[in-house]
Amino acid sequence: MICRNTERPWFDRLAAYLMRAEPDRERVQWAGTRNLPTEEPELAAVFMQATASRNVRVQKPAYQMVVSFAPDDAVDRVVMERVADGLLDGLALGEHQALLVAHQGEPRPHLHMVVNRVHPGTGRAWSTWHAWSRTREVLCDLEQALGLRALSAPLQTVHAVAQDVRLYERVLNLGSERHEAELNASAAQARWTRFE
């Protein structure tokens, strides 16, 4: 499995996009909700927006995750919902409002999860700080527990490249510092020679 995460300001546009049918095929396999009084995606978006408006400091209350499964994995709604619930619980979002939409007819089955970052009871916003690393840990545990295959994620590649870039920049900085130290040592040697 792989997961992509994004933050968005609006629930209604996400729900409309996720439920939109393609001209030549129906792409929505099923839809469900968590901690909402309705299973209707459009109405769920209204409830989620009302909850989010309780915390005026949150500019991007909608947190979207897309979980993709390997094409060879036998996943059905039950497995997808177990992954969704495990991911929500693992990220401390189990009490938050969520809209789940599974798409079919793609290269691989995938599940969209739109989560309200604003807690429906407390009004506090869930922090996305280090969400990606925690998501990877939870997905790894779920893959092992459910016998699903791990997929290489583009973000993992980007993360590795970013680490390489940081290392390269550090080496450049150290090289610059060394060059500056050598110049200072040469200048000090020249001053000492002149002094003698």
Side-chain angles (χ1 to χ4, degrees), residues 163-182:
Q163 285 179 326
D164 289 345
V165 168
R166 282 194 295 271
L167 179 62
Y168 176 72
E169 289 173 346
R170 181 69 181 137
V171 168
L172 284 179
N173 287 339
L174 288 174
S176 296
E177 289 173 13
R178 179 180 176 191
H179 180 69
E180 188 175 325
E182 288 173 351

Side-chain angles (χ1 to χ4, degrees), residues 68-82:
S68 296
F69 300 87
D72 299 336
D73 281 340
V75 293
D76 57 4
R77 181 174 182 161
V78 173
V79 172
M80 287 185 176
E81 286 189 305
R82 284 186 66 190

Side-chain angles (χ1 to χ4, degrees), residues 15-84:
Y17 169 75
L18 294 175
M19 297 304 295
R20 187 183 89 234
E22 296 291 325
D24 56 342
R25 63 185 156 81
E26 189 66 30
R27 74 178 185 158
V28 176
Q29 187 175 5
W30 59 268
T33 62
R34 298 294 183 266
N35 303 312
L36 287 160
T38 182
E39 291 290 316
E40 275 302 312
E42 291 82 8
L43 187 55
V46 173
F47 280 109
M48 292 170 88
Q49 190 61 51
T51 299
S53 66
R54 292 179 54 208
N55 189 328
V56 294
R57 291 179 290 160
V58 179
Q59 295 179 354
K60 296 179 180 177
Y63 188 72
Q64 183 184 14
M65 296 179 277
V66 183
V67 180
S68 296
F69 300 87
D72 299 336
D73 281 340
V75 293
D76 57 4
R77 181 174 182 161
V78 173
V79 172
M80 287 185 176
E81 286 189 305
R82 284 186 66 190
V83 168

Side-chain angles (χ1 to χ4, degrees):
M1 291 183 295
I2 58 172
C3 184
R4 292 172 298 176
N5 306 358
T6 57
E7 291 178 70
R8 306 269 189 219
W10 8 255
F11 294 99
D12 55 346
R13 291 182 190 171
L14 277 171
Y17 169 75
L18 294 175
M19 297 304 295
R20 187 183 89 234
E22 296 291 325
D24 56 342
R25 63 185 156 81
E26 189 66 30
R27 74 178 185 158
V28 176
Q29 187 175 5
W30 59 268
T33 62
R34 298 294 183 266
N35 303 312
L36 287 160
T38 182
E39 291 290 316
E40 275 302 312
E42 291 82 8
L43 187 55
V46 173
F47 280 109
M48 292 170 88
Q49 190 61 51
T51 299
S53 66
R54 292 179 54 208
N55 189 328
V56 294
R57 291 179 290 160
V58 179
Q59 295 179 354
K60 296 179 180 177
Y63 188 72
Q64 183 184 14
M65 296 179 277
V66 183
V67 180
S68 296
F69 300 87
D72 299 336
D73 281 340
V75 293
D76 57 4
R77 181 174 182 161
V78 173
V79 172
M80 287 185 176
E81 286 189 305
R82 284 186 66 190
V83 168
D85 292 337
L87 191 53
L88 290 171
D89 289 341
L91 294 174
L93 290 168
E95 296 180 356
H96 287 248
Q97 299 167 330
L99 170 63
L100 313 176
V101 179
H103 284 170
Q104 62 187 358
E106 301 288 333
R108 54 184 167 212
H110 64 277
L111 173 67
H112 293 265
M113 301 170 58
V114 179
V115 183
N116 192 347
R117 291 182 50 226
V118 178
H119 189 280
T122 66
R124 290 187 178 153
W126 174 76
S127 174
T128 60
W129 180 253
H130 289 292
W132 174 244
S133 60
R134 182 69 187 132
T135 300
R136 286 190 312 198
E137 292 172 13
V138 172
L139 285 179
C140 184
D141 293 343
L142 288 169
E143 286 167 349
Q144 291 176 355
L146 299 173
L148 300 171
R149 284 179 225 176
L151 298 173
S152 62
L155 286 178
Q156 289 173 337
T157 305
V158 168
H159 182 68
V161 169
Q163 285 179 326
D164 289 345
V165 168
R166 282 194 295 271
L167 179 62
Y168 176 72
E169 289 173 346
R170 181 69 181 137
V171 168
L172 284 179
N173 287 339
L174 288 174
S176 296
E177 289 173 13
R178 179 180 176 191
H179 180 69
E180 188 175 325
E182 288 173 351
L183 287 177
N184 288 338
S186 294
Q189 183 65 35
R191 284 193 304 274
W192 178 256
T193 305
R194 246 190 342 234
F195 177 72
E196 288 180 333

